Amino acid sequence: MDVMNVFLLFLLVPLRVRLVSANAKAAATPKLPVYGYDMVDVTLTANPGDLKGVKRVLVDGLATQGECDMMLDLAQVGAKPDIEGSHWYSEYEIFEGLEVLQAAQLAQQGAVPIDSAEKLLTLSDKARRFVLGYFGLPELFLTYTHLVCRTADANSTDDRTDLSHPVHADNCQLDLSDFSCPQVHPLYTPRHYSAVLFLNDGFKGGEFFFAHNKNFSAQSRVKPKCGRLVGFSSGEENLHGVQAVLSGRRCVIAMWYTMDRRYREESRQEARKLLQSLQKPLETKSEL
């Protein structure tokens, strides 16, 4: 072997070592799910073990303060009492909500900014993508989206013992006589996962909690704050409720998901089309 070949061998051996090392490092790096859940500024706050259950997660940073403020303003204008009445869950609280298509229709009327109605769609879809990725699901669709506020009325006192939302599961009807939870058509069975995106704090009470089976006492609690998201599977393994809102106003985006595309939220597609039609005239005007 001449001097030139020895010199070339000396150069190539370190290069091969570096390539092998890089390939080994890449192979050792865990791959995220196809849809991922490593969202910028979204941090894991509590895993299932921390929340003392299964298929539960708590993260912060899913929405910014500005986005939360947009949703609070939207709720202030558009959230209305349910057909069951304003005191649906508690005689001490006013329950109001707004659906995605209703928000788009308000934008069409000029009652709310188009961007606000659009933000309700994008934030709820961001939450869907996180739940999809974190739990490693093959696919996931929103089946219902609800911007909800609970406001303590003048009769609310600090010694209340009722709940803002009774303990329940999202895909079965809890029977208090024997603690069974049968799946009842058509409302419950399409729901496979659920999530709540909190929009504010500054009120008293109103903590979300996971409940023990049988006695329904709090197993773990979640204190609301802007951008905090709790996600969980919708079955009886994740019974949950809301503590009484003693004073102030508590707002969230509540979301239910299905893995069966037949139960997709059709009004969501209508809202998207309506908002796109409203944005086109604005784009045309800006080009003039």
Side-chain angles (χ1 to χ4, degrees):
M1 182 178 295
D2 59 26
V3 175
M4 181 59 70
N5 287 335
V6 170
F7 179 70
L8 290 174
L9 182 62
F10 175 78
L11 292 177
L12 291 173
V13 167
L15 176 61
R16 183 181 179 187
V17 170
R18 289 197 300 273
L19 289 173
V20 170
S21 177
N23 290 336
K25 184 177 180 181
T29 301
K31 294 183 179 180
L32 291 171
V34 174
Y35 291 93
Y37 58 90
D38 56 334
M39 296 180 175
V40 176
D41 298 326
V42 175
T43 57
L44 180 66
T45 302
N47 61 30
D50 299 324
L51 295 171
K52 302 177 182 178
V54 297
K55 294 184 179 179
R56 304 172 180 176
V57 66
L58 183 68
V59 296
D60 284 313
L62 200 113
T64 66
Q65 186 62 57
E67 291 171 329
C68 288
D69 290 342
M70 285 181 71
M71 295 299 93
L72 293 173
D73 290 342
L74 178 61
Q76 187 65 36
V77 175
K80 302 299 180 185
D82 189 82
I83 56 174
E84 300 291 334
S86 60
H87 293 77
W88 189 8
Y89 293 107
S90 169
E91 61 179 309
Y92 301 104
E93 296 177 21
I94 299 170
F95 180 88
E96 299 171 304
L98 180 69
E99 299 175 359
V100 289
L101 182 55
Q102 292 171 334
Q105 291 167 341
L106 286 174
Q108 183 183 39
Q109 298 163 13
V112 300
I114 296 173
D115 289 348
S116 296
E118 178 68 30
K119 184 62 67 176
L120 178 57
L121 287 173
T122 56
L123 277 179
S124 53
D125 189 63
K126 184 178 181 181
R128 179 195 64 82
R129 289 186 288 111
F130 175 83
V131 172
L132 171 73
Y134 181 83
F135 291 110
L137 306 173
E139 58 183 359
L140 195 66
F141 308 96
L142 274 151
T143 188
Y144 188 53
T145 308
H146 207 196
L147 174 56
V148 174
C149 294
R150 302 165 186 269
T151 307
D153 67 15
N155 297 319
S156 179
T157 59
D158 288 354
D159 60 354
R160 283 171 52 193
T161 59
D162 65 316
L163 294 175
S164 179
H165 199 135
V167 173
H168 63 284
D170 285 340
N171 75 351
C172 56
Q173 183 67 55
L174 191 59
D175 187 337
L176 299 181
S177 65
D178 60 1
F179 301 104
S180 63
C181 203
Q183 292 185 323
V184 182
H185 287 281
L187 181 59
Y188 297 95
T189 50
R191 298 175 178 177
H192 297 107
Y193 284 82
S194 309
V196 178
L197 175 59
F198 302 100
L199 300 174
N200 68 320
D201 51 17
F203 49 86
K204 192 171 184 179
E207 287 187 341
F208 175 98
F209 66 95
F210 288 108
H212 289 284
N213 291 334
K214 303 296 174 87
N215 64 15
F216 300 156
S217 61
Q219 187 178 53
S220 57
R221 300 176 187 270
V222 174
K223 187 173 180 60
K225 62 179 286 190
C226 168
R228 176 165 285 178
L229 178 90
V230 60
F232 49 95
S233 58
S234 301
E236 59 185 302
E237 70 279 3
N238 280 318
L239 298 180
H240 58 283
V242 179
Q243 297 285 349
V245 178
L246 303 176
S247 64
R249 182 175 173 88
R250 173 193 190 270
C251 296
V252 306
I253 301 176
M255 295 156 284
W256 293 268
Y257 309 107
T258 179
M259 297 173 67
D260 188 334
R261 66 175 58 244
R262 293 176 300 170
Y263 296 103
R264 287 180 297 179
E265 188 175 26
E266 295 300 331
S267 61
R268 190 176 189 83
Q269 307 307 317
E270 296 179 53
R272 179 72 68 188
K273 290 178 181 178
L274 177 55
L275 290 173
Q276 288 174 345
S277 70
L278 296 176
Q279 289 167 340
K280 286 180 180 178
L282 293 179
E283 293 171 357
T284 303
K285 185 175 181 180
S286 65
E287 294 170 359
L288 297 178

